[in-house]
């Protein structure tokens, strides 16, 4: 050491460094050697590493474990005495709508004048990572203003090389690594105090210590971020003991026990799994989505990787698989800053291990901005395809070369040979300039068909034919042909198969499906008509003298249909049904048509009780009943008269009986005799006697006179001497149709 005495005199005093004392880091990390403030002697210190994962669980800089489910943006780490102007915030949000648990959505890093947000858009499951500056997405990798941001696809790595600060954020949660030599004993917030003393980790703003960091965390909402729904407790906490943590997972299919299995056995001597197991059990009991358990395994594997133990654990569970693009491979331990063709050996790179998607072995990234893996370094063309030095290739109709001197691609337009001239002579063909199919960068003259240049063709076809247009192979213009339809044709009329065709009189002709080899149409088949000579009742088949092929049925009789029974009547014939003689049917002829008329006899009222016994009978018309009425029958009438004879007169009235009344007299037509038949009877005396009476004459003489005295009357047949008159009974007539 040098010491100033006086008069500009400097005394050199030998300084003996104290012996190195080994220390134990409570966060489980290895101690590191650093120089004292005089940069003379070295001593061991513990660098500060804070980790968080799940919903969420924290391990402070000094290795103290706690869980906290706040739903705000909190101070993760800040300097007690600002030296490097570094602050970090964590944004926790509710990640399960069914449970009151939160997950870290983003970490905000404020350094000097730069504010960078590392954000995960998918809280549970495959990561969707993004880095933002002033709300604008950054293209990674990013390196400006003393900050570097890298990504492996699964994890983002934020580095401040000058301060050796490393922050990771992704599906594994987050980690903050601070060197003790810059930040020792000068931090506060959710990550603790970085003193290698767990007793002072749970410190409130202002320096007060509490026993529980989960209670302490409520007092650290970010002051510089507007959060109207986040409040700092107004009362200082009391030392209330927390409930003991759950010891076993709540789900039978939990993967938490893998942390204590042989899969992670190689890491157990370097990183104790107890705190990660406790966080996994908590998630198993408080979050419905089972994939949240993966974050505890991921966080433990990441801690093991920083301790130098690389574990291939994802292939032991289907719940925590990780997918990579087809041109990348998954590695549990890869360099956060992947090697590229543009690496400068004189530049320092981040010596940090992370899991993610990397180039396969033997390949490297073409450059930091490209995600393309190459086996040889050279140039990157305009489409992002890697090219070797001095490689000559064609792209976008340009001849290009990868220049080794400039490590860039230079191109010149491609020179095409003169295209050969084509001779287009066929109808419809025209000469056009188009892209050469064998070389799309050049053009060629080809003969191309243009149907608009084809001559007009006649599309008319005869009856029974349809026009058909086809283009022969190798030709441009269509050819027109007439093909027969599937029809018959007769006198320019088309007939479908099975249809009747009027070809020859007295023959039945039909369109068949047999093809005529001469014209391709269907043939017409004809056969002579068969005359039907069977006529209906009342008709007779009669040959005609006209040109008709067959005779016809001519009506010759009337056909009367009564109750399903047919009766034939000749012209003028009258017929009555046996069961009804009161109805008469007569056949009459009207022109060439025979028709039946009907008439009915209306009988006068008939009272049987007014008939003399034994006199009831059917009238001559066969319809009505008649009898000898009691009052009008043949009987003896009585009258008293003076008999006059030759001027002489009886002196007194004489009883003079007489016969009067009606008898059965009729006239009717006899079919057998073919004439009218009469039957006459007369009411006359059947028994009589002679009686004598005295007559007084004018001269006074008395003269005896004998007369016939009728004693009994009856009807007796007599000759009909006068022709019978017409019947007087009314008839009603109608014509049968």
């Amino acid at each position: 050491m040098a010491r100033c005495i006086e008069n500009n005199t400097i005394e050199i005093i030998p300084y003996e460094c104290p012996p190195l004392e080994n220390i134990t880091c409570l966060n489980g990390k290895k101690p590191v050697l650093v120089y004292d403030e005089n940069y003379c002697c070295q001593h061991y210190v513990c660098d500060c590493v804070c980790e968080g994962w799940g919903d969420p669980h924290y391990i402070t800089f000094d290795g103290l474990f706690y869980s906290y489910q706040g739903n705000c943006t909190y101070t993760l780490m800040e300097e007690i005495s600002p030296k490097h102007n570094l602050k970090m915030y964590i944004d926790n949000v509710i990640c399960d709508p069914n449970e009151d648990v939160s997950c870290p959505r983003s970490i905000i890093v404020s350094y000097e004048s730069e504010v960078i947000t590392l954000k995960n858009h998918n809280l549970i499951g495959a990561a969707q990572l993004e880095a933002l500056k002033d709300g604008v997405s950054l293209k990674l990798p990013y390196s400006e203003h003393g900050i570097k941001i890298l990504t492996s696809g699964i994890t983002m790595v934020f580095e401040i090389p000058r301060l050796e600060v490393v922050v990771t954020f992704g599906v594994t949660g987050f980690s903050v690594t601070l060197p003790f030599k810059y930040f020792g004993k000068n931090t506060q917030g959710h990550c603790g105090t970085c003193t290698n003393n767990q007793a002072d980790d749970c410190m409130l703003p202002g320096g007060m210590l509490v026993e529980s960091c989960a209670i302490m965390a409520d007092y650290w909402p970010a002051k510089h971020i507007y959060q109207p729904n986040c409040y700092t407790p107004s009362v200082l906490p009391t030392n209330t003991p927390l409930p003991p943590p759950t010891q076993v997972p709540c789900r039978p299919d939990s993967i938490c026990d893998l942390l204590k299995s042989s899969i992670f056995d190689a890491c157990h001597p370097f990183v104790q799994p107890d705190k990660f197991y406790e966080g996994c059990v908590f998630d198993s009991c408080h979050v419905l989505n089972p994939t949240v358990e993966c974050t505890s395994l991921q966080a433990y594997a990441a801690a093991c990787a920083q301790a130098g133990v690389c574990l291939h654990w994802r292939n032991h569970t289907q719940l925590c698989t990780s997918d990579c693009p087809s041109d990348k491979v998954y590695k549990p331990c890869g360099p956060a800053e992947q090697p590229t063709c543009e690496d400068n050996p004189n530049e320092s790179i981040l010596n940090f291990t992370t899991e993610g998607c990397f180039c396969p072995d033997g390949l490297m990234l073409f450059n930091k901005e490209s995600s393309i893996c190459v086996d040889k370094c050279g140039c990157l063309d305009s489409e992002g395809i890697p090219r070797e030095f001095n490689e000559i290739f064609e792209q976008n109709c340009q001849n290009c070369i990868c220049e080794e001197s400039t490590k860039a691609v230079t191109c010149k337009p491609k020179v095409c040979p003169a295209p050969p001239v084509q001779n287009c002579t066929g109808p419809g063909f025209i000469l056009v300039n188009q892209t050469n199919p064998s070389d799309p960068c050049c053009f060629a003259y080809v003969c191309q068909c243009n149907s608009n240049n084809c001559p007009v063709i006649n599309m008319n076809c005869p009856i029974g034919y349809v026009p058909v247009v086809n283009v022969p192979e190798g030709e441009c213009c269509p050819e027109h042909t007439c093909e027969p339809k599937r029809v018959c044709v007769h006198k320019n009329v088309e007939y479908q198969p099975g249809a009747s065709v009027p070809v020859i009189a007295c023959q039945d002709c039909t369109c068949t499906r047999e093809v005529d080899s001469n014209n391709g149409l269907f043939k017409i088949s004809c056969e002579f008509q068969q005359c039907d000579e069977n006529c209906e009742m009342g008709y007779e088949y009669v040959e005609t003298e006209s040109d008709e092929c067959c005779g016809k049925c001519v009506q010759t009789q009337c056909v009367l249909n009564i109750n399903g029974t047919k009766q034939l009547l000749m012209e003028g014939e009258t017929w009555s049904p046996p069961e009804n003689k009161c109805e008469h049917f007569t056949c009459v002829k009207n022109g060439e048509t025979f028709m039946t008329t009907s008439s009915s006899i209306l009988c006068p009222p008939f009272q049987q009780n007014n008939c003399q016994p034994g006199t009831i009978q059917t009238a001559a018309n066969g319809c009505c009943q008649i009898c000898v009425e009691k009052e009008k029958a043949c009987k003896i009438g009585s009258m008293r008269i003076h008999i006059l004879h030759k001027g002489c007169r009886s002196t007194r009235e004489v009883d003079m009986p007489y016969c009067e009344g009606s008898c059965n007299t009729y006239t009717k037509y006899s079919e057998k005799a073919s004439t009218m038949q009469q039957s006459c009877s007369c009411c006359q005396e059947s028994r009589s006697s002679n009686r004598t009476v005295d007559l007084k004459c004018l001269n006074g003489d008395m003269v005896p006179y004998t007369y016939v005295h009728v004693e009994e009357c009856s009807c007796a047949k007599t000759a009909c001497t006068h022709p019978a008159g017409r019947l007087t009974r009314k008839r009603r007539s109608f014509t049968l149709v």
Side-chain angles (χ1 to χ4, degrees):
M1 294 180 61
R3 183 176 64 175
C4 179
I5 301 176
E6 60 183 355
N7 298 326
N8 293 324
T9 302
I10 297 176
E11 180 184 14
I12 302 299
I13 301 174
Y15 180 80
E16 186 177 347
C17 292
L20 286 173
E21 294 183 4
N22 200 8
I23 63 173
T24 300
C25 295
L26 297 179
N27 59 12
K29 311 302 178 183
K30 292 182 179 181
V32 294
L33 282 173
V34 297
Y35 284 97
D36 57 15
E37 65 271 11
N38 298 319
Y39 290 93
C40 179
C41 298
Q42 289 183 312
H43 61 280
Y44 282 106
V45 295
C46 295
D47 284 341
C48 304
V49 180
C50 178
E51 298 171 269
W53 71 93
D55 56 340
H57 313 291
Y58 294 85
I59 298 178
T60 66
F61 287 135
D62 297 332
L64 183 63
F65 174 82
Y66 72 95
S67 297
Y68 177 66
Q69 282 75 46
N71 182 25
C72 288
T73 302
Y74 301 93
T75 300
L76 187 63
M77 165 269 163
E78 70 178 11
E79 296 176 283
I80 299 174
S81 299
K83 295 181 180 179
H84 306 289
N85 294 319
L86 179 65
K87 294 180 181 180
M88 299 184 192
Y89 304 95
I90 185 166
D91 180 23
N92 289 345
V93 296
I94 298 298
C95 55
D96 191 329
N98 301 307
E99 299 289 342
D100 188 19
V101 293
S102 60
C103 297
R105 177 172 61 183
S106 61
I107 284 184
I108 304 168
V109 182
S110 175
Y111 172 62
E112 299 291 351
S113 62
E114 299 290 305
V115 178
I116 303 296
T117 300
L118 307 179
K119 191 171 186 179
N120 181 12
H121 293 279
N122 189 17
L123 300 180
I124 298 179
Q128 296 180 8
L129 304 177
E130 184 181 23
L132 302 103
K133 177 181 177 181
D134 298 329
V136 179
S137 181
L138 296 176
K139 182 179 180 181
L140 303 183
Y142 173 84
S143 180
E144 288 185 15
H145 307 291
I147 294 174
K148 293 175 67 175
I149 307 175
L150 310 170
T151 181
S152 67
I154 296 178
T155 302
M156 286 188 294
V157 180
F158 175 97
E159 182 191 17
I160 305 176
R162 185 179 69 82
L163 298 178
E164 301 177 18
V165 173
V166 177
V167 179
T168 67
F169 183 72
V171 294
T172 59
F174 69 88
S175 69
V176 178
T177 301
L178 304 179
F180 186 89
K181 61 184 178 182
Y182 296 129
F183 298 94
K185 301 180 181 180
N186 193 33
T187 65
Q188 59 183 355
H190 281 193
C191 280
T193 56
C194 190
T195 60
N196 200 31
N197 180 9
Q198 296 181 354
D200 61 5
D201 273 353
C202 304
M203 185 171 67
L204 302 181
M208 178 180 176
L209 299 178
V210 295
E211 291 185 3
S212 171
C213 286
I215 295 176
M216 171 271 293
D218 281 335
Y219 292 83
W220 283 103
K223 298 178 182 179
H224 306 295
I225 299 176
Y226 177 68
Q227 301 182 94
N229 297 323
C230 295
Y231 303 97
T232 304
S234 58
V235 181
L236 294 177
T238 58
N239 292 327
T240 303
L242 296 176
T246 308
Q247 299 298 322
V248 294
C250 296
R251 270 192 291 266
D253 57 347
S254 171
I255 61 174
C256 296
D257 290 334
L258 293 178
L259 287 167
K260 297 184 177 181
S261 69
S262 60
I263 297 174
F264 293 93
D265 194 40
C267 185
H268 291 166
F270 303 96
V271 181
Q272 290 297 317
D274 298 343
K275 299 171 184 177
F276 299 92
Y277 181 79
E278 183 178 341
C280 185
V281 170
F282 182 92
D283 295 342
S284 171
C285 297
H286 293 84
V287 182
L288 293 178
N289 193 331
T291 58
V292 74
E293 297 181 15
C294 295
T295 60
S296 295
L297 277 69
Q298 293 164 353
Y300 182 67
C304 293
Q306 299 309 313
V309 180
C310 188
L311 300 171
H312 293 266
W313 64 276
R314 287 188 182 270
N315 54 355
H316 292 278
T317 171
Q318 294 182 350
L319 192 62
C320 309
T321 57
S322 181
D323 296 328
C324 288
S326 58
D327 60 337
K328 300 289 195 307
V329 294
Y330 169 78
K331 291 182 180 181
C333 305
E337 192 167 1
Q338 300 185 41
T340 72
C341 291
E342 295 181 348
D343 287 346
N344 187 344
N346 297 324
E347 292 182 359
S348 62
I349 62 172
L350 175 62
N351 185 17
F352 192 86
T353 301
T354 182
E355 70 169 339
C357 300
F358 301 89
C359 289
D361 294 339
L363 303 181
M364 67 178 66
L365 291 176
F366 181 79
N367 56 29
K368 297 181 183 297
E369 293 76 21
S370 171
S371 62
I372 299 174
C373 299
V374 296
D375 57 349
K376 295 180 181 179
C377 294
C379 309
L380 202 65
D381 64 20
S382 61
E383 296 180 357
I385 301 174
R387 303 290 182 176
E388 296 183 17
F389 288 131
N390 301 318
E391 180 183 350
I392 299 175
F393 58 96
E394 183 180 309
Q395 189 178 57
N396 298 329
C397 296
Q398 291 182 318
N399 292 323
C400 304
I401 183 171
C402 174
E403 300 283 358
E404 186 174 2
S405 58
T406 61
K407 296 184 179 179
V409 175
T410 58
C411 298
K412 295 180 180 180
K414 180 178 179 179
V415 179
C416 295
V421 179
Q422 298 288 335
N423 185 17
C424 293
T425 58
F429 284 106
I430 59 173
L431 190 65
V432 295
N433 183 351
Q434 69 176 20
T435 301
N436 191 338
S438 61
D439 188 352
C441 293
C442 300
F443 70 91
Y445 291 112
V446 296
C447 286
Q448 193 174 75
C449 177
N450 186 347
S451 59
N452 293 330
N453 291 346
C454 292
V456 179
I457 57 177
N458 182 14
M459 300 296 290
N460 296 326
C461 287
I463 299 298
Y465 293 83
V466 62
V468 177
V469 178
N470 67 318
V471 180
E473 184 177 358
E475 298 294 332
C476 172
C477 296
E479 291 184 355
H480 165 253
T481 57
C482 293
E483 292 187 359
K485 299 180 183 179
R486 300 174 62 83
V487 296
C488 299
V489 175
H490 177 68
K491 292 184 178 180
N492 290 329
V493 178
E494 294 182 1
Y495 296 90
Q496 296 295 326
S500 178
V501 184
V503 179
I504 305 173
C506 301
Q507 292 190 19
D508 293 328
C509 298
T510 306
C511 180
T512 69
R513 293 185 179 274
E514 183 181 355
V515 178
D516 190 337
S517 59
N518 295 325
N519 54 25
L521 299 172
F522 285 161
K523 290 183 177 181
I524 298 174
S525 176
C526 298
E527 60 182 13
F528 284 99
Q529 292 182 359
Q530 298 295 324
C531 296
D532 186 5
E533 298 181 4
N534 296 320
C535 297
E536 296 181 1
M537 181 182 292
Y539 290 79
E540 292 183 2
Y541 184 79
V542 178
E543 296 287 349
T544 61
E545 297 179 356
S546 63
D547 295 335
E548 295 182 6
C549 300
C550 297
K552 60 181 180 179
C553 292
V554 178
Q555 189 175 6
T556 57
Q557 291 176 293
C558 292
V559 180
L560 179 63
N561 190 341
I562 298 178
N563 298 327
T565 301
K566 293 182 179 181
Q567 179 72 31
L568 294 179
L569 300 178
M570 299 299 295
E571 181 182 359
E573 182 181 355
T574 298
W575 177 81
S576 296
E579 68 276 5
N580 186 7
K581 293 294 185 177
C582 293
E583 189 171 12
H584 292 183
F585 296 93
T586 304
C587 179
V588 296
K589 184 177 182 182
N590 184 8
E592 297 296 327
T593 303
F594 286 81
M595 56 189 303
T596 303
T597 62
S598 67
S599 60
S600 299
I601 298 174
L602 295 179
C603 296
F606 178 76
Q607 296 180 356
Q608 185 174 349
N609 56 3
N610 196 30
C611 297
Q612 288 188 7
T615 64
I616 297 175
Q617 60 183 336
T618 301
N621 57 18
C623 171
C624 301
Q625 284 186 312
I626 59 175
C627 68
V628 177
E629 298 180 5
K630 293 180 180 179
E631 295 179 356
K632 297 180 181 182
C634 182
K635 61 184 177 180
I636 294 177
S638 177
M639 65 179 178
R640 296 182 66 84
I641 63 173
H642 289 278
I643 298 175
L644 294 176
H645 182 69
K646 295 180 180 182
C648 299
R649 178 174 181 266
S650 64
T651 60
R652 57 179 177 88
E653 290 184 343
V654 178
D655 187 14
M656 185 67 70
Y658 62 93
C659 291
E660 70 173 348
S662 61
C663 293
N664 188 15
T665 300
Y666 64 86
T667 300
K668 66 178 180 179
Y669 179 79
S670 174
E671 297 178 0
K672 293 182 179 180
S674 298
T675 184
M676 298 301 291
Q677 180 181 358
Q678 296 90 17
S679 175
C680 298
S681 61
C682 182
C683 183
Q684 60 186 20
E685 72 281 5
S686 58
R687 185 167 57 86
S688 63
S689 62
N690 292 329
R691 291 191 181 189
T692 301
V693 65
D694 290 333
L695 302 178
K696 186 177 180 179
C697 298
L698 291 177
N699 56 10
D701 293 339
M702 298 295 289
V703 181
Y705 178 75
T706 301
Y707 64 93
V708 178
H709 180 85
V710 178
E711 295 180 0
E712 186 176 323
C713 298
S714 66
C715 292
K717 283 191 176 185
T718 185
C720 296
T721 58
H722 301 285
R726 292 183 177 270
L727 293 178
T728 60
R729 292 182 178 88
K730 296 181 180 179
R731 299 172 182 244
R732 59 182 178 180
S733 64
F734 59 92
T735 302
L736 291 179
V737 179

